Amino acid sequence: MPTEPITEHAITRTERLDRLPFTKAHRKLLVGSGLGWALDAMDVGLLSYVLVALAASWEITPTEQSWLATISALGMAIGASLGGLLADKVGRRQVFAVTLLIFGIATGLSALAWGVGVLLVLRFIVGLGLGAELPVASTLVSEMAPSRIRGRIVVILEAFWAVGWLASALIGAFIVPTSENGWRWALAIGLIPAIYAAIVRFGLPESVRFLEAKGRHIEAESVVRDFEASAGIEQGGITEPAAAAPASAERTTGTAEPATLGARQRLAALFSTRLRGRTIPLWVVWFCVNFSYYGAFIWLPTILFNSGYPLVRSVEFTLIITLAQLPGYAVAAWLIEKWGRRATLSVFLAGSAVSAMLFGTAATDTTVLLFGCLLSFFNLGAWGALYAITPELFPTRLRATGAGWAAAVGRIGAILAPLSVPVLSAAGGNGLLFGAFGVFFLIATVGALFLAEKRGQALEEE
């Protein structure tokens, strides 16, 4: 006897999203979020060139350079922790737009700084916005992407980081060196995110999963229908009664509504019996990857300059090394749906460890470029896989909180790394410095092996 086909009544809104093809609506969300991501990367990347310029024009000390690099990371740690909590309370899109506005305005104002103290304050504010934006944006995109290609889409989102970093390298090469105030013009470009924030606020959809969890079913239905219309589907899959389900539906199942959970409850839930096995190794990976990445790449032009390369040459090498990020993302985006998240992340982290150690031994132009490009390739591919796996490890009511706090713990590594670079370099040169980065990458590789594999699975709602 033939089985009865599944009726529309049996399909939830999130299942309707998961069964869609990649549509124009998905592309709009990806590009809209990705441009914000690229602007963030441009700001972070510019700092490395600004530090070199300030060393010449303001004659700041290596310690002051370290603090300028570190203060942004401190702001990012606080921003990521608060941004995740707020995104689970008020929405992903709202927090995304506000954080773009904060860091865009603060970056533009940094161009007017008249001393190290003022610049430190503004860079801290920049970090607040930047730190909150990244995990919230990845959570929003992850929640809206079809499950079968979710990981690939998030890696592509992270690939916009390379676009922004490349833009910073071009600005660093062609604007910063033009005059004594070239670094000011470079930072003034950071006002672009402030304008873009308004576009994001009104142009991108809110997460359907967030709307559902908050009982805002009519809004959720509208978003789903927009995505279905983009795919050429005329009718939605949920009957009118389901679409109008009361906001208290969660209470009827005995599950507390996310809106009733305070910040302390959400943080405690990350270490519940079910989730602590995901939270702890994830925090280890985030910490180690941030330490090695920010230690190496924020300081890269300065490291090359201190190794005897002229300023222009060090900037050129940094630009070439930055270009290697793009194929790293491309390969990670392909492998993440072939091998899975855990395997892809582990392989790219192991490749980063080997590349870092080899870069520390590089003694010629050829080896500097070769091992630098390999480090860039593997490290940024690992970043893509890490951002893909992070939101998948937590249920909807805790997803932004989980992603935000993982990023916040990572930023502690980003804080310590710039302060450690002068010490390690003085003690053992580039060999010791990049050897240390390699060790941290190896620790991250081990941590990644303990993460749950979620390839092709629907995101957890509870």
Side-chain angles (χ1 to χ4, degrees):
M1 181 170 116
T3 58
E4 183 178 348
I6 296 176
T7 66
E8 297 285 19
H9 301 271
I11 302 175
T12 66
R13 292 187 183 91
T14 54
E15 288 171 338
R16 286 159 62 191
L17 281 177
D18 279 342
R19 70 179 183 174
L20 290 175
F22 186 79
T23 68
K24 291 181 180 179
H26 289 108
R27 183 165 63 248
K28 178 182 178 181
L29 174 63
L30 177 60
V31 174
S33 302
L35 288 176
W37 204 286
L39 292 169
D40 286 0
M42 185 181 75
D43 175 84
V44 175
L46 278 176
L47 181 60
S48 61
Y49 301 97
V50 170
L51 288 177
V52 176
L54 289 178
S57 61
W58 283 5
E59 297 182 354
I60 63 175
T61 66
T63 300
E64 289 172 325
Q65 284 181 301
S66 295
W67 277 110
L68 282 170
T70 299
I71 199 69
S72 293
L74 177 60
M76 289 168 71
I78 297 173
S81 60
L82 295 178
L85 290 168
L86 284 172
D88 276 336
K89 184 175 180 63
V90 304
R92 285 64 161 122
R93 182 180 65 173
Q94 299 274 48
V95 176
F96 183 29
V98 170
T99 55
L100 276 170
L101 190 64
I102 290 172
F103 103 81
I105 293 176
T107 299
L109 290 176
S110 297
L112 304 176
W114 58 86
V116 174
V118 175
L119 192 56
L120 282 170
V121 172
L122 290 170
R123 291 306 303 175
F124 175 77
I125 298 173
V126 167
L128 287 176
L130 175 60
E133 189 272 328
L134 296 178
V136 172
S138 61
T139 297
L140 173 61
V141 172
S142 180
E143 289 183 332
M144 296 297 292
S147 58
R148 66 187 177 280
I149 56 172
R150 183 176 60 238
R152 183 166 296 157
I153 290 177
V154 176
V155 175
I156 294 173
L157 169 67
E158 164 66 1
F160 278 87
W161 184 271
V163 175
W165 202 271
L166 181 60
S168 73
L170 292 172
I171 294 170
F174 297 107
I175 293 181
V176 173
T178 55
S179 69
E180 183 178 347
N181 291 318
W183 65 271
R184 295 184 185 274
W185 289 108
L187 289 178
I189 296 174
L191 282 170
I192 294 174
I195 300 171
Y196 179 69
I199 301 174
V200 170
R201 173 64 181 84
F202 295 105
L204 298 183
E206 181 55 272
S207 164
V208 170
R209 286 176 165 85
F210 171 81
L211 293 172
E212 289 266 73
K214 294 299 182 182
R216 294 158 61 180
H217 301 288
I218 294 176
E219 295 174 69
E221 179 68 16
S222 176
V223 174
V224 173
R225 291 201 178 207
D226 286 344
F227 274 72
E228 288 176 332
S230 182
I233 298 174
E234 295 294 332
Q235 297 292 327
I238 296 195
T239 61
E240 189 63 27
S248 59
E250 290 86 355
R251 293 205 248 330
T252 65
T253 65
T255 303
E257 284 187 71
T260 64
L261 295 179
R264 288 186 179 181
Q265 290 172 300
R266 289 200 292 274
L267 290 174
L270 296 180
F271 291 91
S272 64
T273 302
R274 181 165 71 96
L275 294 179
R276 64 184 173 222
R278 306 176 190 181
T279 299
I280 294 172
L282 183 66
W283 284 16
V284 170
V285 175
W286 270 91
F287 178 89
C288 293
V289 171
N290 270 269
F291 184 91
S292 295
Y293 174 79
Y294 283 94
F297 285 94
I298 288 293
W299 279 92
L300 188 56
T302 302
I303 291 171
L304 293 173
F305 180 75
N306 291 340
S307 297
Y309 289 95
L311 178 58
V312 174
R313 189 69 164 167
S314 66
V315 171
E316 289 175 352
F317 275 28
T318 301
L319 179 59
I320 294 171
I321 290 171
T322 299
L323 287 171
Q325 296 180 11
L326 292 170
Y329 283 124
V331 174
W334 180 71
L335 289 177
I336 203 159
E337 300 296 357
K338 297 290 183 181
W339 289 358
R341 286 80 162 114
R342 183 170 53 203
T344 302
L345 178 58
S346 299
V347 168
F348 274 80
L349 286 172
S352 299
V354 174
S355 300
M357 293 178 181
L358 289 174
F359 185 82
T361 66
T364 66
D365 289 1
T366 300
T367 54
V368 166
L369 285 174
L370 174 61
F371 298 141
C373 286
L374 284 175
L375 177 58
S376 187
F377 174 91
F378 282 112
N379 193 187
L380 276 297
W383 268 116
L386 183 57
Y387 269 105
I389 198 172
T390 297
E392 297 180 340
L393 298 178
F394 304 99
T396 297
R397 65 194 177 96
L398 299 171
R399 186 164 296 121
T401 299
W405 274 78
V409 171
R411 301 312 175 193
I412 297 174
I415 292 168
L416 296 176
L419 297 175
S420 302
V421 167
V423 177
L424 291 172
S425 294
N430 289 345
L432 177 61
L433 177 63
F434 282 87
F437 295 153
V439 170
F440 275 88
F441 278 130
L442 286 176
I443 296 171
T445 303
V446 175
L449 296 175
F450 289 90
L451 298 178
E453 177 59 60
K454 298 290 183 178
R455 177 178 55 164
Q457 299 178 26
L459 293 174
E460 297 178 29
E461 302 302 330
E462 290 295 338

